[in-house]
């Protein structure tokens, strides 16, 4: 692009580093924000391009959507012959295109990625913003496993797609998410047009007079969850399924919060061109996901008592979309057979196992459903006869229990009557002696030595940057209360320990909820830094009370909360940073625990 090369500085602060790629008629470049000392990504168009104004306007609107999944838009501008959008750096993340290059991902990981993307699109849709041009290249997974999505509003502007009506836009994004699910399961792209580098899925003609459609994921790969397979069939073969991304998210929920590792599903058909039919069942031996249980000989119908059906496992659910419903054991799709890896459902295994669990514990010496003889386990406990107690024995047992209860009641009444007197009875505190006085608590102490503190629940956490852009790696902030000090929140990169003189500090704010009283704050600080801790009713320092500071804080830091200091938000405020191995400066916070 004219006027764009490594070393050029745009907007007086963004120094171009290297080209990352091109798509939708725009170019992506990596760059360095010389003011804040951080890496960024530039999405660029020629300034004379007729799409310029639409792109810059879309980027400004997308910047107002607060979602940890969406790649943040940081700035927009025009410099000479270049119009640019500044996004947060995602160069270290891996696009879905590369993740599925080996043929697909485990079904549970596809559920997590597609569900997360759908939730973010639903949040954007509530603000009137849509993607409209989803491809696997827009979905990224970071090294930590976080899912990120770029291109909301801006992708449509680059592709010169006019905003349709709200309902049509929601449906288009829902179909896009289903297509991403299909690509994640098979490694193939089911929609017409560019699949971000993925090979197109093959086409089949399910019936005379019906246009060619893509086969179901279960016909191409093993270990495909049945509900995801049903959604792909309904949407891509019958033009039904979810009408909005939120609808899709509700149908596939719940999903894992951490990456689901495993080898890709084994492909059983390849994209060899239009008109080919994918045949043959999936190779069930090539996947770790689907487990087929041995099915014993069927018991007589009278041997199985009537019962309510058990709850199906997530991998065996079948979802019903707009225009049709899929039963737990039904074949879905005209003329297509579900492969062996997906056809053996939880319901059939449940039916086979039912006789072993529905009639109570097996009798000694009997044979269970799997042909195993049950041993005689003897009496239920040592010294207890296996035979029922006689009436006389029952009366003796009741008398012993009543005696114990009477003794316990007497001791309890006596103890309660002695509370507050000079006694050596220990009711959980420190005994006092005559003539001694209880020590008065030190001013500002969080609790007396005998008071037991418990950890308060943390509702949420966000980056805290009131002197900057109000964001500071917000997506990583929840790591400070995940119970694992090894997963730390880190600030953005700075050129000096004092933030290059641009601000006084930055940090993290955690929400402990209303109507609770904090008594102590404990921090795990993996890298040395100067910090202060505040507590207040709002996420701002002006209304907060400073509960303590620590210069050169590292490791475990404990700060008692003074009496009278209350609030819903605890703010960890870093004022001086340490240098990282890459020569930049960052704040690090591994864990925060608030006790009360």
């Amino acid at each position: 692009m004219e006027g764009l090369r490594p070393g050029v500085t745009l907007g007086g602060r963004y120094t171009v580093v290297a080209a990352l790629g091109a798509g939708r008629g725009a170019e992506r470049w990596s760059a360095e924000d010389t003011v804040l000392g951080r890496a960024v990504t530039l999405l660029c168009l020629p300034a004379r391009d007729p799409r310029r104004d639409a792109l810059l306007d879309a980027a400004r609107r997308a910047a107002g959507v607060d979602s940890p999944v969406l790649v943040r838009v940081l700035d927009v501008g025009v410099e000479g012959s270049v119009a640019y959008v500044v996004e947060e750096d995602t160069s270290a993340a891996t696009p879905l295109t590369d993740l599925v290059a080996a043929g697909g991902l485990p079904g549970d990981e596809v559920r997590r990625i597609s569900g997360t993307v759908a939730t973010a699109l639903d949040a954007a849709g509530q603000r009137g913003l849509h993607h409209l041009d989803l491809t696997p290249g827009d979905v990224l997974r970071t090294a930590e496993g976080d899912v990120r999505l770029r291109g909301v509003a801006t992708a449509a502007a680059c592709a010169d797609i006019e905003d349709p009506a709200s309902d049509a836009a929601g449906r288009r994004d829902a179909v896009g998410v289903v297509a991403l699910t299909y690509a994640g399961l098979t490694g193939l792209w089911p929609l017409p047009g560019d699949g971000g580098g993925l090979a197109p899925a093959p086409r089949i003609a399910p019936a005379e007079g019906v246009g060619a459609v893509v086969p179901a994921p279960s016909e191409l790969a093993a270990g495909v969850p049945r509900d995801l397979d049903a959604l792909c069939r309904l949407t891509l073969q019958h033009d039904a399924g979810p009408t909005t991304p939120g609808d899709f998210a509700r149908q596939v929920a719940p999903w894992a919060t951490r990456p689901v590792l495993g080898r890709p599903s084994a492909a059983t058909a390849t994209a060899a061109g239009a008109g080919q039919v994918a045949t043959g069942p999936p190779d069930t031996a090539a996947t770790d996901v689907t487990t087929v249980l041995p099915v014993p000989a069927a018991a007589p119908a009278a041997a199985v008592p009537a019962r309510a059906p058990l709850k199906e496992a997530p991998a065996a659910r079948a979802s019903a979309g707009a225009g049709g419903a899929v039963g737990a054991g039904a074949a879905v799709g005209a003329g297509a057979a579900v492969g062996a890896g997906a056809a053996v459902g939880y319901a059939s295994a449940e039916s086979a196992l039912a006789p072993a669990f529905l009639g109570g514990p097996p009798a000694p010496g009997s044979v269970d459903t799997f042909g195993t003889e049950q041993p005689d386990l003897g009496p239920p406990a040592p010294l207890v006869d296996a035979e029922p107690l006689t009436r006389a024995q029952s009366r003796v047992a009741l008398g012993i229990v009543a005696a114990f209860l009477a003794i316990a009641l007497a001791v309890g009444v006596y103890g309660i009557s002695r509370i507050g007197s000079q006694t050596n009875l220990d009711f959980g505190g420190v005994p006092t002696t005559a003539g001694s006085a209880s020590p008065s608590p030190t001013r500002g102490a969080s609790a007396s030595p005998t008071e037991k503190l418990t950890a308060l629940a943390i509702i949420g956490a966000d980056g805290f940057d009131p002197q900057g852009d109000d964001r500071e790696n917000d997506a990583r902030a929840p790591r400070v209360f995940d119970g694992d000090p090894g997963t730390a929140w880190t600030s953005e990169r700075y050129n000096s320990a004092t933030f290059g003189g641009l601000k006084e500090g930055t940090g993290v704010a955690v929400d402990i909820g209303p109507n609770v009283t904090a008594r102590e704050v404990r921090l795990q600080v993996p890298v040395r830094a100067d910090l202060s801790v505040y507590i207040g009713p709002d996420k701002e320092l002006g209304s907060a009370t400073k509960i303590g500071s620590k210069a050169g804080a590292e490791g475990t830091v404990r700060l008692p909360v003074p009496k009278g200091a209350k609030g819903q938000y605890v703010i960890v405020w870093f004022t001086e940073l340490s240098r990282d191995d890459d020569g930049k400066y960052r704040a690090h916070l591994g864990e925060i625990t608030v006790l009360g």
Side-chain angles (χ1 to χ4, degrees):
M1 184 181 300
E2 181 183 355
L4 198 59
R5 63 183 183 278
V8 170
T9 300
L10 301 177
R13 61 185 293 183
Y14 306 111
T15 301
V16 178
V17 177
L20 299 177
R24 302 184 178 100
E27 296 181 5
R28 287 189 182 275
W29 292 73
S30 63
E32 181 78 11
D33 183 348
T34 58
V35 174
L36 294 179
R38 62 184 178 184
V40 295
T41 300
L42 302 179
L43 177 64
C44 302
L45 279 176
R48 296 189 300 271
D49 194 297
R51 298 169 295 169
R52 183 195 74 176
D53 292 340
L55 173 63
L56 299 183
D57 178 64
R60 292 187 185 98
R61 290 185 290 124
V65 180
D66 186 12
S67 170
V69 178
L70 301 182
V71 174
R72 284 191 295 155
V73 175
L74 305 174
D75 197 3
V76 299
V78 178
E79 179 83 12
S81 60
V82 179
Y84 60 89
V85 175
V86 183
E87 298 175 338
E88 63 176 305
D89 178 40
T90 55
S91 58
T94 306
L96 183 61
T97 309
D98 297 341
L99 293 175
V100 302
L105 294 171
D108 287 339
E109 178 66 353
V110 175
R111 184 189 304 277
R112 183 182 78 95
I113 292 175
S114 60
T116 303
V117 169
T119 302
L121 287 172
D122 185 57
Q126 294 176 12
R127 300 285 297 271
L129 299 177
H130 306 278
H131 196 290
L132 304 179
D133 194 30
L134 275 170
T135 69
D138 296 320
V139 179
L140 311 169
R141 188 174 71 182
T142 67
E144 296 81 7
D146 298 329
V147 179
R148 309 301 302 276
L149 173 66
R150 65 186 177 196
V152 168
T154 58
C158 288
D160 203 17
I161 300 174
E162 295 184 3
D163 282 344
S166 179
D167 291 346
R171 169 61 178 175
R172 180 162 181 158
D173 276 352
V175 173
V177 175
V178 173
L180 292 176
T181 303
Y182 190 102
L185 294 169
T186 66
L188 304 172
W189 186 242
L191 297 180
D194 180 27
L198 293 184
R203 301 279 164 172
I204 60 174
E208 184 177 355
V210 179
V213 296
V214 294
S218 61
E219 298 176 77
L220 302 176
V224 176
R226 289 178 57 182
D227 59 335
L228 299 185
D229 190 60
L231 283 171
C232 291
R233 287 178 183 271
L234 287 169
T235 306
L236 302 175
Q237 292 183 353
H238 304 292
D239 194 25
T243 56
T244 65
D247 185 19
F248 175 90
R250 286 186 291 273
Q251 293 190 50
V252 303
W255 52 81
T257 57
R258 299 282 184 178
V260 181
L261 303 179
R263 59 183 179 180
S265 304
T268 60
T270 58
Q276 288 195 345
V277 179
T279 60
D283 180 10
T284 56
T287 177
D288 304 322
V289 180
T290 302
T291 302
V292 181
L293 299 177
V295 180
V304 181
R307 64 189 180 100
L310 296 175
K311 182 178 181 181
E312 289 187 338
R317 292 176 301 190
S319 297
V326 182
V332 186
V338 179
V344 180
Y346 182 81
S348 60
E350 174 193 331
S351 300
L353 295 175
F357 300 105
L358 297 180
S366 65
V367 178
D368 68 5
T369 308
F370 298 104
T372 303
E373 183 175 353
Q374 301 299 311
D376 187 352
L377 301 179
L383 304 180
V384 178
D385 195 348
E387 296 299 324
L389 295 177
T390 65
R391 179 171 299 181
Q393 290 172 329
S394 298
R395 289 174 180 172
V396 172
L398 290 175
I400 293 173
V401 172
F404 274 113
L405 289 176
I407 294 171
L409 180 60
V411 172
V413 171
Y414 175 75
I416 292 174
S417 68
R418 299 294 294 168
I419 291 177
S421 64
Q422 297 178 357
T423 177
N424 286 328
L425 286 176
D426 184 4
F427 290 102
V430 178
T432 60
T433 58
S436 66
S438 299
S440 59
T442 304
R443 182 178 181 182
S446 62
S448 65
T450 62
E451 187 172 359
K452 184 178 180 180
L453 297 178
T454 59
L456 301 177
I458 295 178
I459 299 175
D462 293 296
F464 184 68
D465 187 22
Q467 299 170 359
D469 59 359
D470 290 327
R471 298 180 179 182
E472 193 75 21
N473 269 357
D474 289 3
R476 297 187 179 186
R479 297 179 184 180
V480 303
F481 65 98
D482 63 358
D484 182 6
T487 57
W489 167 87
T490 57
S491 71
E492 297 171 351
R493 297 182 296 177
Y494 296 91
N495 287 331
S496 73
T498 55
F499 310 94
L502 297 173
K503 60 182 76 174
E504 297 176 358
T506 191
V508 175
V510 299
D511 183 356
I512 60 175
N515 304 321
V516 295
T517 301
R519 307 299 298 275
E520 183 177 299
V521 176
R522 297 178 187 175
L523 309 175
Q524 292 292 333
V525 185
V527 179
R528 184 182 181 90
D530 293 354
L531 59 85
S532 300
V533 179
Y534 296 79
I535 186 168
D538 302 298
K539 284 196 290 186
E540 58 180 35
L541 296 179
S543 60
T545 301
K546 185 176 181 179
I547 68 173
S549 299
K550 180 72 173 178
E554 188 173 8
T556 302
V557 178
R558 297 187 178 188
L559 296 173
V561 179
K563 289 185 177 180
K566 296 182 180 181
Q568 181 173 346
Y569 297 94
V570 176
I571 301 171
V572 183
W573 180 247
F574 291 87
T575 55
E576 188 167 333
L577 312 177
S578 294
R579 188 173 183 176
D580 280 355
D581 294 338
D582 60 1
K584 300 296 183 180
Y585 295 82
R586 295 183 183 86
H588 301 255
L589 181 59
E591 200 76 13
I592 177 171
T593 305
V594 184
L595 300 102

